[in-house]
C-alpha cells in the first residue's frame, strides 16, 4: 500500500476510535440495567439473550478499539513500545474479538432461536461444532509448522 494512503488511513482510524468508544459506552450504559437483570435470570427469554449479546459485543469492541488505538498511536509517532504492543495484540484479540465475539454471537443466535421457538439445541450443537473445527485447525497448523 502506498505510504501516503496508509498514513491517511491510520489517521482516519485514530480519529474514528473516539466516536466508536464513546458511542459504545453509551450503548453499554443504556443497556446495563437490563443486562444486569438478564444475566441473573435462570430462565432467559429472547430479549434477555439479545440484551446480553449487545452488551458483550459492544464491550468487546470498546476494549479492542482502545488497545489498538494505543498501538496505532505508538506506531504513528514511532515509539519504541510498538513491537511489544504488537506481541500482546494476539492476546487482546483472543479475549475481545474472538472470545467475546463468540459469546455475543451465541447470545444473538440464542435470542433468535428463542424468539422463533426453534429451541436451543441447534445453537449449542453449532457452538460445539465450531469449536471442534477450530481445535482441528489449531492442530493442523501445529502439525504443518512441525513438519516444515
Amino acid at each position: 500500500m502506498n505510504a501516503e494512503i496508509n498514513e491517511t488511513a491510520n489517521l482516519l482510524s485514530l480519529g474514528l476510535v473516539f466516536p466508536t468508544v464513546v458511542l459504545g459506552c453509551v450503548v453499554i450504559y443504556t443497556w446495563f440495567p437490563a443486562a444486569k437483570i438478564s444475566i441473573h435470570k435462570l430462565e432467559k427469554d429472547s430479549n434477555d439473550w439479545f440484551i446480553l449479546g449487545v452488551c458483550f459485543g459492544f464491550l468487546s469492541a470498546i476494549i479492542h478499539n482502545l488497545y489498538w488505538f494505543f498501538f496505532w498511536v505508538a506506531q504513528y509517532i514511532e515509539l519504541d513500545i510498538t513491537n511489544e504492543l504488537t506481541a500482546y495484540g494476539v492476546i487482546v484479540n483472543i479475549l475481545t474479538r474472538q472470545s467475546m465475539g463468540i459469546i455475543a454471537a451465541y447470545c444473538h443466535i440464542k435470542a433468535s432461536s428463542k424468539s422463533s421457538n426453534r429451541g436451543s439445541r441447534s445453537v449449542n450443537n453449532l457452538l460445539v461444532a465450531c469449536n471442534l473445527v477450530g481445535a482441528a485447525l489449531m492442530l493442523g497448523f501445529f502439525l504443518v509448522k512441525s513438519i516444515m
Side-chain angles (χ1 to χ4, degrees):
M1 180 185 299
N2 179 322
E4 193 173 302
I5 292 172
N6 190 33
E7 187 168 317
T8 302
N10 193 2
L11 284 174
L12 176 61
S13 181
L14 289 172
L16 289 172
V17 169
F18 183 77
T20 300
V21 169
V22 169
L23 294 172
C25 287
V26 170
V27 169
I28 297 291
Y29 178 80
T30 302
W31 284 99
F32 183 74
K36 202 165 128 180
I37 293 168
S38 293
I39 205 159
H40 292 293
K41 281 187 181 178
L42 294 178
E43 293 295 321
K44 293 172 183 48
D45 62 19
S46 61
N47 290 331
D48 296 318
W49 285 110
F50 181 80
I51 291 165
L52 292 172
V54 167
C55 289
F56 277 113
F58 276 93
L59 183 59
S60 168
I62 290 165
I63 296 167
H64 186 262
N65 271 275
L66 286 173
Y67 183 85
W68 288 107
F69 172 78
F70 291 118
F71 167 79
W72 289 112
V73 167
Q75 186 178 48
Y76 185 75
I77 59 178
E78 300 176 2
L79 295 177
D80 293 337
I81 197 169
T82 303
N83 289 336
E84 194 169 333
L85 289 171
T86 302
Y88 288 109
V90 69
I91 295 168
V92 172
N93 284 348
I94 290 168
L95 295 174
T96 60
R97 292 185 74 188
Q98 294 160 338
S99 296
M100 291 179 77
I102 290 168
I103 293 168
Y106 179 84
C107 291
H108 282 99
I109 295 168
K110 189 91 165 174
S112 174
S113 71
K114 289 263 186 188
S115 69
S116 61
N117 295 320
R118 285 183 294 196
S120 61
R121 187 163 188 231
S122 61
V123 177
N124 294 336
N125 290 340
L126 177 63
L127 181 65
V128 169
C130 286
N131 281 304
L132 289 174
V133 170
L137 284 169
M138 289 187 315
L139 179 61
F141 291 137
F142 175 77
L143 291 173
V144 167
K145 184 177 179 180
S146 297
I147 293 170
M148 296 177 99

